[in-house]
Amino acid sequence: MRKKIVAGNWKMNMTLDEGQKLTSEIVNMFKDEAVTDVIAVLNPPFPHIFPVKKLIGDTPGIALGSQNCSNKESGAFTGEVSAKILASFGVEYVILGHSERREYFKEDNELLAAKVKQALANGLTPIFCCGESLEIRMAETHESNVKFQLTASLFDLSPEEMAKVVIAYEPIWAIGTGKTATADQAQEMHAALRRHISSKYGRDLADSISILYGGSANPGNAKELFSKADVDGGLIGGASLKSRDFLDIIKSF
């Protein structure tokens, strides 16, 4: 059985007090509403890592994630944070290759491959993001484009390493635009990615990998999205900043 995962990406939001309040609300609601069979991953900005970890404590089903990590293990890289440091704080997941990192910080497939290796070497689960722009979607080259991202950054991994990766499909044209891919469009791309993984690693391994939808999922559309055979959860942006919305998404399975 594939893991059902809903990961909240806070991006560059939340002061200390706001982050503490949001985390406390999510943890308490998660417990009170007896959520089971779903892993909720909180991915705050770096300064929140320690206080959020303390609030999560040993709550079953809630994990701590990071929005990024360095491609280096350690050294003179001012402003960077390594996977090794994150792991020492109890971080379990790390988002890599988010469209904003690719676009604004010019992270390429080679760099992301090195980050994935660092994450895995330090026991972190990469949430590897891939997706296409509106221009690529309109040109109908979206499937080949996204498959190439997987090939370039992940296909040097051993089967054992690949089995530890989570994929997040991001239709970039649906992030923060008010647009959302239809559930059928999401399923089509998730199935294509799973077939592509199968072509390299075999069907059994491909069927074991969780693929999340990362395009403006919300309480209104999550149930339909998560009902699709190859959609195993979501990478949630804006809606993860509201505890009730985030919990309603989590409970949409």
Side-chain angles (χ1 to χ4, degrees):
M1 289 290 292
R2 294 192 294 269
K3 292 178 180 177
K4 299 174 183 178
I5 300 170
V6 177
N9 179 12
W10 295 9
K11 304 192 178 183
M12 198 173 70
N13 295 295
M14 296 283 136
T15 63
L16 175 60
D17 288 345
E18 291 168 343
Q20 296 277 275
K21 182 175 182 290
L22 177 62
T23 304
S24 295
E25 290 174 353
I26 291 171
V27 169
N28 289 331
M29 292 164 74
F30 199 89
K31 292 176 180 177
D32 291 345
E33 298 176 30
V35 177
T36 59
D37 301 327
V38 181
I39 299 171
V41 185
L42 306 186
N43 298 270
F46 288 133
H48 289 272
I49 293 290
F50 185 64
V52 168
K53 177 61 178 176
K54 287 182 68 177
L55 288 171
I56 292 173
D58 57 359
T59 306
I62 302 184
L64 177 63
S66 172
Q67 297 176 23
N68 190 28
C69 75
S70 175
N71 61 317
K72 306 293 186 182
E73 183 174 358
S74 62
F77 302 101
T78 300
E80 289 292 285
V81 178
S82 70
K84 183 177 182 179
I85 292 172
L86 293 171
S88 75
F89 278 86
V91 172
E92 298 177 62
Y93 290 79
V94 59
I95 300 169
L96 297 174
H98 191 282
S99 57
E100 291 160 1
R101 298 296 309 179
R102 292 175 185 266
E103 180 180 359
Y104 304 148
F105 300 96
K106 309 306 177 187
E107 295 191 354
D108 59 21
N109 293 317
E110 183 179 1
L111 176 70
L112 295 174
K115 289 190 175 193
V116 169
K117 283 283 193 180
Q118 277 296 313
L120 290 170
N122 287 281
L124 304 185
T125 297
I127 301 176
F128 181 82
C129 301
C130 56
E132 82 280 2
S133 65
L134 181 59
E135 181 181 15
I136 290 171
R137 165 67 65 160
M138 295 299 291
E140 298 185 352
T141 57
H142 48 286
E143 189 171 313
S144 60
N145 178 266
V146 177
K147 285 180 178 178
F148 178 75
Q149 293 173 359
L150 291 193
T151 300
S153 294
L154 300 180
F155 276 19
D156 282 338
L157 297 176
S158 69
E160 293 75 19
E161 291 173 323
M162 187 65 183
K164 298 174 183 177
V165 175
V166 172
I167 307 294
Y169 165 62
E170 297 184 288
I172 300 168
W173 46 272
I175 299 175
T177 63
K179 298 179 180 179
T180 307
T182 66
D184 287 340
Q185 285 175 319
Q187 167 59 23
E188 178 184 38
M189 285 301 292
H190 283 225
L193 293 173
R194 204 176 301 283
R195 287 194 300 271
H196 189 53
I197 295 168
S198 178
S199 71
K200 167 73 174 180
Y201 293 99
R203 182 172 177 177
D204 287 348
L205 192 150
D207 282 345
S208 74
I209 290 179
S210 297
I211 304 180
L212 315 182
Y213 174 75
S216 297
N218 59 62
N221 61 27
K223 191 173 186 66
E224 185 181 9
L225 285 164
F226 295 172
S227 72
K228 296 300 181 180
D230 289 289
V231 179
D232 305 308
L235 177 59
I236 314 300
S240 73
L241 303 179
K242 300 175 182 178
S243 56
R244 183 69 266 166
D245 285 356
F246 190 55
L247 259 292
D248 285 346
I249 293 171
I250 291 169
K251 295 169 68 178
S252 294
F253 283 98

